[in-house]
Amino acid sequence: MKILPPDLDRDKLPRHVAAIMDGNGRWATQRGLPRAVGHRQGVDTLKDLLRCCKDWGIGTLTAYAFSTENWHRPLEEVNFLMVLFERVLHQELISLQQEGVQLHFAGDLSPLPYTLRQQMEEAMALTANNRAVVFNVAINYGSRSEIVKACREIAQRVQAGTLNPTDIDEGLFAQHLYTAATGDPDLLVRTSGEMRTSAIFYCGNWPTRKFTSPTCCGPTSIAVSFIKLCRIFKIASAVLAKCEAGSQLIEPV
């Protein structure tokens, strides 16, 4: 069990953390290791972060694991990642079930290998009633494709006569996003330390009231960095609560 540091208050922690699992391959390359080693280490990092969220009472963790842009990587690396996703899901599912983790997968899953899609469906069905923590894995996810998907579905409803165009608002649009079931994150972490969100969460309203952190966690130091981030979040939340609107950029500690 991950013990909550005494200076952190459960009630002032983020309720939903999103993590862009970035930089694993570069981390390995910089150490003269195969990129595959970095990806495997990234899995262990994610497991550690999920355990922190569960033990500290953070309700939802979204892991941005594979974007629509990642298909442009070398075929060998893409194939390795698909096999890795399938292998990890198979190996960890029973443990996730026992720990009360509810699994969701966000993104266009149709291009994924059939066996992987089948495992995902089985995992979601098996863990549907779990309540300890929600683990949302964004795979083949991109906000541009998400916007297109939402617009297409709404247009089909209008064309079918089941939706009046005047009833279209932000709330209805959000219902058609991949992230509809999990909502917007309070804290966005990019483990490589870069200050960019890539193609994630363009549609949510979180940028107007949340913040990102450039703290570099890397695939081996997430626990220490996450504690720092939660401390920053505690301070930033108090500051943002006094603001009518706008986002706050937090410097790394």
Side-chain angles (χ1 to χ4, degrees), residues 10 15 50-61 95-103 127-135:
R10 282 178 179 267
R15 309 313 306 163
L50 179 61
R51 192 166 292 111
C52 276
C53 290
K54 173 181 174 290
D55 293 342
W56 294 0
I58 296 172
T60 303
L61 170 65
S95 176
L96 293 171
Q97 167 67 4
Q98 292 174 344
E99 294 191 35
V101 178
Q102 182 182 121
L103 274 168
T127 63
N129 295 322
N130 293 344
R131 294 294 181 267
V133 62
V134 174
F135 184 28

Side-chain angles (χ1 to χ4, degrees), residues 82 210 223:
M82 293 298 126
K210 312 299 181 186

Side-chain angles (χ1 to χ4, degrees), residues 2 4-5 8-19 48-62 99-102 131-136 182 184-189 223 226-227 229-231 233:
K2 302 292 183 181
L4 184 69
L8 290 177
D9 184 344
R10 282 178 179 267
D11 294 334
K12 296 181 180 179
L13 292 175
R15 309 313 306 163
H16 181 177
V17 173
D48 204 22
L49 182 56
L50 179 61
R51 192 166 292 111
C52 276
C53 290
K54 173 181 174 290
D55 293 342
W56 294 0
I58 296 172
T60 303
L61 170 65
T62 293
E99 294 191 35
V101 178
Q102 182 182 121
R131 294 294 181 267
V133 62
V134 174
F135 184 28
N136 188 41
T182 53
D184 299 327
D186 303 298
L187 171 64
L188 174 62
V189 180
F226 191 55
I227 292 173
L229 295 177
C230 287
R231 287 172 178 151
F233 182 85

